[in-house]
Amino acid sequence: MAALLRSVRLLKLSPSSLLQISGAKRSGPPLSRLFSGVIAVSRNGACPRQISPASENSFSRVWPHPVRCMCISNVATEKNKESQNVVAFDYGEDFDETLSILDSSVRKTGYITQTLLHQIFNNICVKGHSSSNHTLLLLRSCGSFLAELPLEDRTSLAHKIWDKMKELGIQYNVSHYNALLKVYVQNEFKFSPPDFLAKMEADNVCPNRVTYQGLMAAYCHNGNLNAASTILSLMKTSDMPITENIFSSLVTGHGRAGDIEGAKNILPMMKEAKVSPGPETYVRLLNVHAERGDMDSLKETLEMAKSDNCNLMNEDIMQVILTLAKSGHQQHVEEMIKYLKHDQRYKQDSTVLCLTLINLGLEDTAFQILKTFPHFLNKNLDKGKNMGYFFLNHCVAADVPLEKLVFFCNDLEESRINAEPLTQTLYCALSLKKPELSLELMKLLKEKNKPIRSHYFTPLLTLHVKNKDAVGMTKVLLAMQEHGMVMDSYIFTRFIKPIIPSLIKDQQVLQDSGGFLKMKKLTDSAIHRIPYEDLDKIYSLLLNPSLTKEKIKIFCHKIINIFKKFDDLEKMVKITEALKEIDVRNETSPVCLSSTHPDNVSYLLYWLIMTMSEEEVKAQLDNWRQFFQMLHAKEITITGNAYRSIRNLLESHNVPELCKDLLLLRDLNHEKAEVVSKEFDTVTVAALEERVEENRRKGKPFDRPLKRLFKAVLADNDLKHALELKMMYKENLSIHETIKLMSLCLDQNNVEEALNLKRELSQNHPLLVINASKYLSLVKGFSMNGKVEEAIDILKEMRKKEVKLDKYIGLLYHVLNGVATTGDATTVKRLLDTIFSIQLVKPKGLLFRSLLVAHLNNDDTESAVQAMVDIMKDYKILTGTHDLLVHLLKHKETDKMQKVMDLLNETQGEMIVLYNLFFAFLKTGHYEEARNIIKTPGIRTKAGPLKWFTDRCISNNEMEILEEMTDMTHQLYDCDREKMYNGILQLCRNRNDWQKAMAVWTKMQEENIIPRTATLHLLTGILSRSGQMVPCQLAKTFSRKTGAKLKNPETTQNVDKDKEINSDKIDQATACSMVQRANEDGTVLSADIYNTAICAMLAEGKLEDAMEIKEIASSRLTDFKLTKLTFSIIIITQSKNGLINDAFETLKSMLSTDQKPSQLAITSLIESMAVNSDLEGLKKLDMLMNGGVKSNLYIEATSKAIMTHFQNGNDETALALLEHLFTQRFIQYNKIFPLIDSILELENDVLDKFGALGERLANHFACYKPVTMLFLKLLDMNREDEAKAILDRHNGIIEQKDTLMAFLTLKAKIPGQVEKIKSILNMVPHSIDEDWVKATLIKCHIVEGDFESARALYEQMRKEGTNIDELTLKRLAVLYKNQGEEVPFHEPPNSGKFYTNALRGSASLNADQ
């Protein structure tokens, strides 16, 4: 590594004698060969050599670090001076890191990739500064190590680097000129040596021995021995040593001049000069013979080298092979290959040779070398299935003809070297942006019946979008159509829209597309280009009469988020009015999600309210009221269905007062006269009261007007009137209305009435479970009004009825915090003790904070400190330390502060103590003390606490504190300054303070901080939103990092916070590369990155690689856990691969971490077990899940496996699974009927076997489920004779009440099944309860809309005294109302769903009993 970069200082201090190397041997680290001090003539791209002294210690050849440290120490002073302003490493920033990256590339691949070198160079250009060492490193990388590029491109890149570094102020010295000269020689670049020396002289740079050696090598390469002799004479007169390199150049010179004997005579001359010929000399002589194709002389020279104990390495032989191929003597390559040895570096050296040969157009010879790779010779498809990718990729890059590519692919596949070479070649063509080749390869794949994936076309579409190439885009789209791909909305939006102007302009392209592109689609797509917040442009486009109704939904989605802000009510009304005009214009059903929202205005209003939280609606209450009134003034209306849907939403948000204003928008013209009069009566409470009393006097039903009356009173918040109605019509009010009344009592702090109502509900409906938020409202109301015992009773009731509070922790905290603000610490303590003792929720620090708040509100710091100690002692939870320390600092209670700090130090360590003190001093304004804390020796950056306090400052709008913290952490070790300034910019955005934002940007520039993309988005958004011009420098930086162009302030849109956060996330490919690098250098990554990498491996089907990453993560992170998604994907992958036991063990591990698998994971595992007939496994799975496997999942997976076995002829296996399925207790048999349908469609022998299975289960095990289901399905198929035969053999079918009822229930949901149900009942009379049968028949009549039959059956049931359940009465009442008839009975007050659930609960209770 030392020779990789000899600095100018090291070269000047090196004695000349050290450069006279005799008896050299060649080995050592790869990158050290990049900077050998001499210049080799024929090193034009194959395998450059590193020369080290023969006396060198053996360890230095494989462990380069000691020498490297010596080099760096020599240039440390210079490097520090040049990089003193550098903040953090990025490619090209830190010299040591750049050196390490290039070294790693050479070790792995044998060469430096052009992408890596360009990235380092571009980053240096972006930063605008470099160092002498960096320049030297870049120049020397442009030689033979840049094997991917042709010779002329390497030299062009070197010139580009030379010019750019000169612009950046680099002072070139002799080392730089020598490096450039070496690049010229290695790349066979033709230049004028006199001009080169003149240029050096003009820059006041004196040539040294290395320069003369390089010039002599250049002359000899061209066969100019006269000029070379002049250089040699000059070196002798200057007492410069004549080394082996000089003699080697002379060998080349004589050979190029045609003097073969002269070239041979150089070796005796060397011995006379006491310079031993080394591998370098022999390689030059071998090249001379190779250029002439003289194999006899080649073999003779090889024997001569062997007799002189000069061991030639693979790279030497490869140089000869390269020369043979270049000279047109490929027929001798096979013979030279025999001299190659498969050592450790063979792959890297041969890879470089292959790339060089391809660059020279000698891909056939390169393919010959490729097939000599050791793992290729093994011909093991499992090991070599992806081998040769680099070769195919470089052939594509070098534009090798398609015919040769196909030949190479066929040979690789036939030789079992690569499983899918043609597909990989397509990948290469796509990545290298070769559209024509890609389409041709797809055709070849299709001819070979290989699948053509839709994502193959994405790179081609992206390329044509970028180039705005309408013709190319059309070709790709036609190819997609040819291969059966569909142009979905994503392709249209992502790729076709950007070139719409070109497509519309070029009519010929549209004609050539064969109808694949439609002008109508192109025109309608203009809606997608509307600026996100430009209401004026949205309005103007809505006025376009050609706009189709299918695009209106997109408008609604765009403007819903804008409407939430209520910034401009007039524009909102104008847009809504335009939507209404479109409804009238179309005269058809507009875009909607369901029949509940039949017009655009209703759709907009409904989803606008739906997407807002209760707090957001209440905060905009006045704006909503004004908005509704303005819409009413414009005569904008909504239908009755839409009105009811939106009204229900408003009531769910607890803002019933808005219903009056919403009623103004209701379109009465679309309602029947009777319904209109009833609904219109709800405008006044008095009218409703009069109607209720009138119906009551006449004996008519008054439930509906009473319900409207009660809602109107509650909407007016008239508690007194509501209580009076409650007393008058106590028996007629539903549970829902009682709960609403109780909520109104709590809102108006009438706790006594709320308590009475709660007791009444508990007494009349003991099994009733109300919403968790209502329970917590009761707890808060009772606790804050001295009824602590009642509040505790509510908590106990919640536990008894198993009310889940996992999603209501925040609400529970607000309840406790509301009590704490009153200073009642005793009540808070009792509530907390009760909550945790009955295990209502798990102990959490957030909940305990309310107890500290209660003590601090009473200024009882002693109790607060003691409470913190007790909580830590009992629950091992530490919370509220910041608030407590701030309070103690304000009151200067140092003794108690010390006690808190001791507790922190004992539990969390000294570092956390320092950060807590730091934040407390900042909060209280003690900036000097805070500065002293952050300067404590040994303190390190803790990103978590800093992020927490930054977010706290942003939420509390504390700019001064945030600025002070950012300033104080300037010298904090390893502190991410960019994130600190990002926090200030977030606060600037919230305060709309663009002046402060610009000041922050200036400070970032002064500190030389490189901003992330999210920060650039944030800053440009602040300036654009304030109407300020984006500075040119910022615009360039933004464009450079994002590849985007900034628009003017009028059109530039602000980026929301979610996008800023997501911009820092990594994709799967990045995660995999990070894990690979971390595994090599031993670094530890976060658990999220490991999980992402595992998912990436699983997505590619690489299960073993994924599990290997899991083992690495587990070994490096003691608390590493797989996420729910990762666990589920592993289970799915293992199940699909037939690894059932592994999948089962993975599931057990997942459940042990308190995580639940996804439904797809469970389904995959069940299906895999069923396909493999693993009945024991299915039983174990159900036991493991504690019966938690959902019945529909189990049946779906097992049914699929059963049908697969039947179709594959595995009848016995399928029947075994069927038997297992029928004997499960938790199965819902109505779910199995589709399976029976599928079995009945199979061949007769399968039906016979299924019948035999049913007979056996019925006769031997009294399990009548199969025969009962077969009996029912035969009746359903009108095969009554066969059904009767089964019934005659098995009278037990009549006793299968559950199965019969399940089947009849399914049939009752389908119109036209009344007669079939009656025929089934005639077959099994008296087996089912008569009341249930009649209720089912009524349901059938209701489904069919047969009012007369339903009414007649109801009258019959009433005369017979049949007990009619409330659900049936509710259904009948709805039917009567729909027919415009008065309901002749008392209508149940609650909804049909309520009574359905009640019947299910009753059925479950009876089953348990």
Side-chain angles (χ1 to χ4, degrees):
M1 184 89 58
L4 169 65
L5 179 64
R6 285 197 173 91
S7 66
V8 180
R9 181 173 305 181
L10 183 60
L11 286 174
K12 288 182 177 179
L13 295 178
S14 298
S16 59
S17 60
L18 292 177
L19 300 177
Q20 302 181 36
I21 304 177
S22 61
K25 58 184 178 180
R26 287 130 332 121
S27 60
L31 201 53
S32 63
R33 299 175 293 178
L34 184 61
F35 289 94
S36 57
V38 294
I39 300 176
V41 173
S42 62
R43 298 292 169 227
N44 53 10
C47 304
R49 177 193 294 111
Q50 188 258 340
I51 300 179
S52 59
S55 59
E56 183 183 41
N57 186 289
S58 60
F59 287 99
S60 67
R61 300 197 298 270
V62 295
W63 192 253
H65 302 291
V67 186
R68 172 185 171 185
C69 295
M70 180 188 70
C71 270
I72 294 174
S73 66
N74 286 329
V75 297
T77 304
E78 178 182 355
K79 185 173 68 176
N80 290 336
K81 288 181 180 179
E82 292 174 342
S83 60
Q84 59 185 353
N85 294 325
V86 179
V87 176
F89 168 73
D90 197 355
Y91 282 155
E93 183 69 23
D94 183 270
F95 174 73
D96 291 342
E97 294 291 346
T98 305
L99 189 64
S100 176
I101 291 168
L102 295 176
D103 177 66
S104 177
S105 177
V106 176
R107 288 178 184 274
K108 292 178 183 177
T109 64
Y111 59 94
I112 295 173
T113 62
Q114 57 174 320
T115 303
L116 178 60
L117 191 61
H118 276 291
Q119 188 173 12
I120 294 173
F121 175 59
N122 291 336
N123 283 334
I124 289 176
C125 294
V126 168
K127 294 174 177 61
H129 59 82
S130 183
S131 66
S132 176
N133 290 335
H134 265 132
T135 305
L136 199 57
L137 184 60
L138 291 176
L139 288 173
R140 289 175 173 172
S141 299
C142 295
S144 56
F145 273 91
L146 204 57
E148 288 182 324
L149 292 181
L151 302 180
E152 57 274 12
D153 292 346
R154 301 180 197 172
T155 309
S156 298
L157 179 58
H159 287 157
K160 183 179 179 181
I161 293 172
W162 182 277
D163 295 337
K164 184 62 181 179
M165 295 298 107
K166 195 168 187 178
E167 289 179 12
L168 297 180
I170 298 299
Q171 296 295 324
Y172 290 133
N173 54 43
V174 68
S175 295
H176 297 99
Y177 278 98
N178 289 341
L180 183 62
L181 181 57
K182 185 175 182 179
V183 168
Y184 286 168
V185 174
Q186 289 182 346
N187 295 342
E188 300 181 6
F189 178 68
K190 294 183 179 181
F191 68 102
S192 172
D195 292 344
F196 188 85
L197 287 173
K199 186 177 181 180
M200 292 182 67
E201 185 178 356
D203 287 346
N204 294 323
V205 178
C206 296
N208 61 7
R209 178 184 57 82
V210 178
T211 309
Y212 290 127
Q213 286 180 351
L215 294 174
M216 186 173 177
Y219 281 128
C220 290
H221 182 72
N222 297 323
N224 191 346
L225 288 176
N226 293 330
S229 299
T230 303
I231 297 292
L232 183 58
S233 300
L234 179 61
M235 294 179 68
K236 288 181 178 180
T237 56
S238 301
D239 293 331
M240 294 182 182
I242 307 301
T243 62
E244 182 190 8
N245 184 262
I246 300 296
F247 289 107
S248 299
S249 298
L250 291 173
V251 171
T252 301
H254 283 284
R256 291 294 172 88
D259 185 7
I260 306 302
E261 291 300 324
K264 293 180 178 179
N265 291 332
I266 295 296
L267 272 67
M269 292 175 57
M270 293 178 67
K271 294 178 180 179
E272 292 177 5
K274 298 183 179 180
V275 177
S276 300
E280 179 74 17
T281 307
Y282 282 107
V283 169
R284 298 297 180 87
L285 185 56
L286 287 169
N287 284 333
V288 169
H289 296 312
E291 288 175 352
R292 300 170 61 85
D294 188 352
M295 283 304 296
D296 293 334
S297 298
L298 270 174
K299 294 179 180 179
E300 182 182 344
T301 305
L302 288 171
E303 290 298 329
M304 188 188 307
K306 186 175 181 181
S307 63
D308 284 348
N309 293 325
C310 181
N311 295 324
L312 297 180
M313 300 173 65
N314 280 336
E315 55 184 347
D316 301 321
I317 303 300
M318 290 179 184
Q319 276 291 321
V320 180
I321 292 174
L322 177 62
T323 304
L324 284 170
K326 286 169 58 178
S327 303
H329 306 295
Q330 292 92 338
Q331 69 274 14
H332 300 308
V333 170
E334 187 66 34
E335 193 168 353
M336 289 302 299
I337 289 177
K338 298 176 182 178
Y339 291 94
L340 295 175
K341 303 173 184 177
H342 291 158
D343 57 11
Q344 188 176 3
R345 291 285 305 172
Y346 182 84
K347 179 182 176 182
Q348 289 83 347
D349 293 337
S350 54
T351 298
V352 175
L353 177 58
C354 287
L355 296 178
T356 306
L357 288 168
I358 294 173
N359 287 336
L360 296 172
L362 303 169
E363 54 273 1
D364 292 324
T365 306
F367 190 66
Q368 195 175 355
I369 298 297
L370 176 71
K371 297 180 72 173
T372 65
F373 279 32
H375 38 275
F376 287 3
L377 298 176
N378 192 21
K379 294 185 179 182
N380 188 325
L381 186 59
D382 294 333
K383 295 183 179 179
K385 60 181 179 180
N386 293 319
M387 296 303 173
Y389 180 83
F390 84 94
F391 177 84
L392 297 173
N393 184 75
H394 203 62
C395 284
V396 173
D399 294 325
V400 172
L402 178 62
E403 294 75 14
K404 279 196 174 182
L405 284 174
V406 174
F407 169 76
F408 294 152
C409 291
N410 292 336
D411 197 327
L412 288 173
E413 189 169 6
E414 292 171 2
S415 303
R416 298 181 59 84
I417 294 175
N418 193 310
E420 296 182 348
L422 202 59
T423 304
Q424 291 186 7
T425 306
L426 174 59
Y427 291 160
C428 299
L430 292 172
S431 62
L432 293 172
K433 302 177 182 177
K434 306 278 185 180
E436 299 296 336
L437 178 61
S438 299
L439 295 177
E440 292 297 328
L441 288 170
M442 289 183 194
K443 291 180 181 179
L444 292 173
L445 283 172
K446 188 174 183 180
E447 292 175 1
K448 292 192 172 187
N449 296 322
K450 299 287 186 180
I452 305 298
R453 312 295 184 188
S454 58
H455 63 267
Y456 291 171
F457 297 92
T458 303
L460 303 180
L461 294 170
T462 305
L463 174 64
H464 294 313
V465 168
K466 182 179 179 181
N467 298 334
K468 298 182 179 178
D469 184 359
V471 177
M473 177 69 76
T474 305
K475 290 181 180 179
V476 176
L477 294 175
L478 289 174
M480 292 178 65
Q481 190 177 28
E482 180 183 344
H483 292 295
M485 304 300 168
V486 180
M487 186 182 69
D488 55 17
S489 58
Y490 170 77
I491 294 176
F492 185 80
T493 304
R494 173 69 177 82
F495 302 111
I496 300 181
K497 276 200 316 176
I499 60 170
I500 284 176
S502 302
L503 290 171
I504 296 177
K505 183 177 179 181
D506 194 343
Q507 296 296 324
Q508 185 62 38
V509 173
L510 292 174
Q511 294 175 7
D512 295 341
S513 69
F516 200 58
L517 296 175
K518 302 294 184 182
M519 178 63 72
K520 180 175 177 295
K521 279 192 174 184
L522 302 180
T523 304
D524 290 344
S525 68
I527 189 175
H528 293 278
R529 292 178 285 171
I530 301 173
Y532 189 71
E533 295 183 354
D534 197 336
L535 291 176
D536 291 328
K537 291 192 177 181
I538 291 178
Y539 177 70
S540 63
L541 193 54
L542 277 172
L543 298 179
N544 185 357
S546 63
L547 186 67
T548 60
K549 63 180 182 291
E550 286 81 6
K551 299 298 177 183
I552 304 303
K553 182 178 178 181
I554 301 175
F555 276 103
C556 295
H557 282 298
K558 276 183 171 290
I559 62 180
I560 279 177
N561 288 332
I562 310 172
F563 273 29
K564 286 182 183 180
K565 303 177 182 178
F566 285 90
D567 290 336
D568 194 332
L569 288 175
E570 293 184 359
K571 290 183 180 179
M572 292 168 60
V573 173
K574 285 175 62 179
I575 290 175
T576 310
E577 187 177 12
L579 289 172
K580 189 64 178 179
E581 291 175 359
I582 293 175
D583 288 338
V584 177
R585 186 167 67 233
N586 289 332
E587 295 182 356
T588 56
S589 297
V591 177
C592 57
L593 289 184
S594 67
S595 59
T596 312
H597 320 296
D599 58 71
N600 295 322
V601 176
S602 304
Y603 177 84
L604 176 63
L605 294 178
Y606 182 87
W607 284 105
L608 179 58
I609 299 172
M610 173 67 80
T611 55
M612 296 177 69
S613 64
E614 180 178 334
E615 291 75 14
E616 290 175 329
V617 175
K618 289 182 178 179
Q620 300 287 352
L621 201 60
D622 294 335
N623 287 328
W624 271 112
R625 186 173 286 112
Q626 185 180 354
F627 182 47
F628 286 152
Q629 293 171 358
M630 292 173 69
L631 292 177
H632 177 63
K634 293 288 185 180
E635 298 183 354
I636 297 174
T637 59
I638 58 176
T639 63
N641 285 338
Y643 161 73
R644 283 185 286 274
S645 299
I646 299 174
R647 181 193 62 192
N648 293 337
L649 272 180
L650 293 174
E651 290 177 352
S652 68
H653 285 331
N654 293 321
V655 284
E657 56 269 26
L658 281 179
C659 295
K660 289 184 178 179
D661 301 288
L662 179 66
L663 187 61
L664 298 173
L665 303 181
R666 184 171 183 179
D667 187 1
L668 302 180
N669 294 327
H670 289 78
E671 305 291 334
K672 294 181 180 180
E674 181 181 359
V675 178
V676 170
S677 62
K678 290 180 181 179
E679 199 65 55
F680 191 75
D681 287 343
T682 62
V683 176
T684 60
V685 174
L688 283 172
E689 284 188 300
E690 183 179 349
R691 186 172 184 81
V692 170
E693 287 298 325
E694 181 183 354
N695 287 2
R696 188 177 183 183
R697 286 195 305 270
K698 294 181 180 181
K700 294 183 178 180
F702 57 90
D703 294 338
R704 294 190 69 189
L706 176 61
K707 194 172 185 178
R708 296 193 188 99
L709 172 62
F710 201 76
K711 283 186 177 181
V713 173
L714 291 178
D716 290 336
N717 291 327
D718 190 348
L719 178 60
K720 182 179 179 182
H721 195 177
L723 291 173
E724 291 174 357
L725 291 175
K726 173 70 171 62
M727 294 299 296
M728 294 172 60
Y729 306 103
K730 184 175 182 180
E731 302 297 330
N732 301 93
L733 292 181
S734 66
I735 296 175
H736 182 64
E737 289 161 345
T738 305
I739 293 174
K740 281 191 172 183
L741 179 58
M742 184 175 66
S743 298
L744 182 60
C745 292
L746 292 173
D747 292 341
Q748 299 191 11
N749 206 28
N750 191 338
V751 182
E752 292 295 338
E753 289 295 341
L755 180 59
N756 293 334
L757 290 171
K758 179 63 182 71
R759 288 171 176 170
E760 181 181 331
L761 284 173
S762 300
Q763 182 178 358
N764 297 334
H765 306 280
L767 299 179
L768 175 67
V769 180
I770 62 178
N771 186 271
S773 60
K774 301 295 183 185
Y775 274 125
L776 294 179
S777 298
L778 289 170
V779 173
K780 183 177 181 180
F782 294 158
S783 301
M784 297 184 68
N785 289 276
K787 296 185 178 296
V788 183
E789 296 298 333
E790 287 77 2
I792 292 176
D793 290 340
I794 295 294
L795 293 173
K796 293 179 179 179
E797 180 182 336
M798 294 172 68
R799 182 69 181 92
K800 181 179 180 182
K801 295 183 177 180
E802 297 183 352
V803 177
K804 303 296 183 182
L805 284 182
D806 296 338
K807 298 180 180 180
Y808 295 91
I809 296 299
L811 183 58
L812 179 57
Y813 166 71
H814 288 298
V815 169
L816 295 171
N817 203 51
V819 180
T821 53
T822 63
D824 192 354
T826 304
T827 300
V828 175
K829 183 70 166 57
R830 289 195 62 188
L831 292 175
L832 285 172
D833 290 343
T834 303
I835 290 171
F836 298 136
S837 63
I838 64 177
Q839 297 181 352
L840 192 59
V841 295
K842 294 180 180 180
K844 294 183 181 296
L846 179 66
L847 302 179
F848 285 118
R849 189 179 301 170
S850 58
L851 181 58
L852 299 182
V853 171
H855 289 304
L856 294 179
N857 285 338
N858 294 329
D859 287 334
D860 188 359
T861 54
E862 182 68 34
S863 299
V865 173
Q866 188 58 44
M868 175 182 285
V869 174
D870 293 341
I871 293 169
M872 184 62 204
K873 179 180 178 181
D874 296 337
Y875 300 98
K876 307 301 181 185
I877 293 176
L878 199 58
T879 184
T881 54
H882 177 72
D883 295 333
L884 182 54
L885 285 174
V886 169
H887 197 278
L888 294 174
L889 268 177
K890 288 180 179 178
H891 293 76
K892 300 181 179 179
E893 300 184 51
T894 55
D895 294 340
K896 295 172 184 174
M897 277 188 65
Q898 186 62 48
K899 187 175 181 180
V900 173
M901 288 188 292
D902 290 342
L903 179 62
L904 280 171
N905 189 32
E906 180 182 348
T907 56
Q908 296 186 338
E910 183 180 354
M911 194 69 67
I912 298 300
V913 175
L914 293 175
Y915 271 100
N916 275 278
L917 282 177
F918 177 58
F919 297 147
F921 282 133
L922 284 173
K923 181 68 176 179
T924 55
H926 296 79
Y927 297 136
E928 192 61 36
E929 290 82 353
R931 198 177 302 275
N932 293 333
I933 290 291
I934 210 64
K935 289 182 180 179
T936 303
I939 191 170
R940 299 187 305 275
T941 298
K942 288 284 186 181
L946 288 174
K947 179 69 168 56
W948 171 83
F949 193 72
T950 299
D951 293 341
R952 189 182 180 99
C953 291
I954 294 172
S955 61
N956 295 334
N957 195 22
E958 296 171 336
M959 177 65 78
E960 180 184 354
I961 296 177
L962 190 55
E963 285 187 300
E964 289 290 341
M965 182 179 69
T966 303
D967 180 63
M968 292 178 190
T969 54
H970 177 67
Q971 299 297 331
L972 184 61
Y973 176 73
D974 202 23
C975 178
D976 192 334
R977 305 291 298 154
E978 196 273 346
K979 286 187 178 180
M980 301 300 295
Y981 281 113
N982 182 276
I984 300 180
L985 288 175
Q986 290 184 48
L987 189 50
C988 291
R989 178 190 60 188
N990 296 345
R991 300 170 65 165
N992 200 22
D993 189 350
W994 67 270
Q995 293 94 339
K996 176 69 70 176
M998 282 304 300
V1000 171
W1001 172 246
T1002 303
K1003 288 184 178 179
M1004 292 178 68
Q1005 289 178 301
E1006 291 174 355
E1007 292 190 30
N1008 200 17
I1009 295 174
I1010 307 300
R1012 293 182 175 91
T1013 303
T1015 302
L1016 291 174
H1017 276 296
L1018 183 59
L1019 182 55
T1020 53
I1022 294 171
L1023 297 177
S1024 301
R1025 189 170 55 183
S1026 303
Q1028 304 299 316
M1029 295 299 297
V1030 178
C1032 179
Q1033 183 181 5
L1034 176 59
K1036 288 180 180 179
T1037 306
F1038 178 84
S1039 177
R1040 198 161 53 228
K1041 290 181 75 66
T1042 64
K1045 293 183 179 179
L1046 289 176
K1047 302 178 181 179
N1048 57 47
E1050 287 75 15
T1051 60
T1052 302
Q1053 304 302 323
N1054 185 31
V1055 179
D1056 61 10
K1057 189 173 183 180
D1058 290 339
K1059 286 187 179 180
E1060 294 169 19
I1061 296 173
N1062 291 336
S1063 65
D1064 288 335
K1065 292 184 178 179
I1066 60 172
D1067 56 15
Q1068 292 184 344
T1070 305
C1072 291
S1073 61
M1074 291 177 66
V1075 169
Q1076 184 178 0
R1077 289 198 302 268
N1079 191 31
E1080 292 172 357
D1081 56 25
T1083 57
V1084 180
L1085 303 175
S1086 66
D1088 290 340
I1089 295 177
Y1090 283 119
N1091 274 292
T1092 304
I1094 292 172
C1095 291
M1097 291 293 104
L1098 294 172
E1100 296 177 7
K1102 300 177 180 178
L1103 179 61
E1104 295 181 0
D1105 294 341
M1107 301 311 292
E1108 183 178 350
I1109 294 176
K1110 175 179 175 291
E1111 294 299 326
I1112 294 172
S1114 301
S1115 63
R1116 297 189 177 180
L1117 295 174
T1118 56
D1119 57 345
F1120 174 76
K1121 288 200 309 183
L1122 295 175
T1123 62
K1124 176 182 176 181
L1125 174 63
T1126 309
F1127 262 124
S1128 298
I1129 296 177
I1130 292 176
I1131 293 173
I1132 294 170
T1133 306
Q1134 290 173 333
S1135 300
K1136 291 188 178 299
N1137 290 340
L1139 305 174
I1140 300 176
N1141 294 332
D1142 294 345
F1144 189 79
E1145 292 300 323
T1146 303
L1147 177 61
K1148 290 173 63 177
S1149 301
M1150 184 179 187
L1151 296 175
S1152 67
T1153 60
D1154 295 330
Q1155 297 186 78
K1156 293 183 178 180
S1158 65
Q1159 292 187 5
L1160 181 58
I1162 292 296
T1163 303
S1164 300
L1165 183 53
I1166 293 174
E1167 184 177 345
S1168 181
M1169 288 180 172
V1171 169
N1172 290 276
S1173 304
D1174 188 1
L1175 303 182
E1176 286 299 320
L1178 290 171
K1179 294 178 182 178
K1180 291 179 181 179
L1181 177 62
D1182 186 52
M1183 293 175 60
L1184 180 65
M1185 299 293 293
N1186 294 323
V1189 179
K1190 292 186 178 181
S1191 176
N1192 56 344
L1193 294 179
Y1194 190 94
I1195 294 174
E1196 179 184 357
T1198 310
S1199 299
K1200 190 184 298 183
I1202 290 171
M1203 291 307 302
T1204 301
H1205 285 304
F1206 273 131
Q1207 292 167 359
N1208 294 335
N1210 303 325
D1211 296 345
E1212 296 303 322
T1213 305
L1215 292 172
L1217 285 173
L1218 266 175
E1219 181 177 351
H1220 175 75
L1221 191 61
F1222 281 118
T1223 54
Q1224 296 300 308
R1225 291 186 67 251
F1226 65 87
I1227 293 299
Q1228 300 177 16
Y1229 289 94
N1230 58 338
K1231 304 288 185 182
I1232 308 181
F1233 284 119
L1235 174 62
I1236 304 301
D1237 290 335
S1238 300
I1239 294 175
L1240 292 175
E1241 294 175 3
L1242 298 175
E1243 298 176 358
N1244 291 332
D1245 58 336
V1246 175
L1247 293 179
D1248 295 338
K1249 292 179 181 179
F1250 175 70
L1253 172 66
E1255 297 279 347
R1256 182 168 60 83
L1257 291 177
N1259 294 330
H1260 298 285
F1261 302 97
C1263 178
Y1264 292 94
K1265 300 296 183 183
V1267 293
T1268 303
M1269 299 180 80
L1270 183 59
F1271 162 77
L1272 292 171
K1273 295 305 296 185
L1274 290 173
L1275 283 176
D1276 190 36
M1277 298 168 65
N1278 297 321
R1279 295 160 64 175
E1280 295 186 3
D1281 294 335
E1282 298 177 47
K1284 287 181 180 179
I1286 293 177
L1287 183 62
D1288 292 337
R1289 289 197 304 272
H1290 304 288
N1291 291 327
I1293 293 176
I1294 301 177
E1295 301 174 0
Q1296 304 304 308
K1297 178 179 177 181
D1298 292 342
T1299 307
L1300 294 172
M1301 292 175 66
F1303 183 80
L1304 294 177
T1305 301
L1306 287 176
K1307 287 298 171 185
K1309 297 178 181 179
I1310 306 173
Q1313 300 293 317
V1314 176
E1315 296 302 323
K1316 188 168 291 186
I1317 290 176
K1318 289 181 178 179
S1319 66
I1320 294 175
L1321 293 173
N1322 291 333
M1323 294 281 290
V1324 286
H1326 311 298
S1327 63
I1328 305 176
D1329 181 73
E1330 288 292 327
D1331 295 347
W1332 185 90
V1333 170
K1334 292 176 180 178
T1336 303
L1337 290 174
I1338 285 181
K1339 180 180 178 180
C1340 291
H1341 294 317
I1342 293 174
V1343 169
E1344 294 178 359
D1346 189 353
F1347 172 70
E1348 295 299 331
S1349 298
R1351 181 165 61 178
L1353 185 56
Y1354 164 72
E1355 293 295 336
Q1356 177 186 344
M1357 294 172 68
R1358 188 173 60 81
K1359 291 178 182 179
E1360 293 175 356
T1362 303
N1363 183 22
I1364 306 176
D1365 60 81
E1366 291 179 311
L1367 177 59
T1368 303
L1369 290 176
K1370 187 68 178 180
R1371 289 170 174 166
L1372 282 170
V1374 173
L1375 183 62
Y1376 272 87
K1377 293 175 187 176
N1378 291 339
Q1379 297 295 323
E1381 298 284 339
E1382 286 289 337
V1383 180
F1385 50 83
H1386 175 70
E1387 180 184 354
N1390 295 311
S1391 65
K1393 184 177 180 181
F1394 175 85
Y1395 296 114
T1396 301
N1397 294 334
L1399 285 177
R1400 288 176 180 170
S1402 176
S1404 299
L1405 184 62
N1406 293 335
D1408 293 340
Q1409 291 176 350

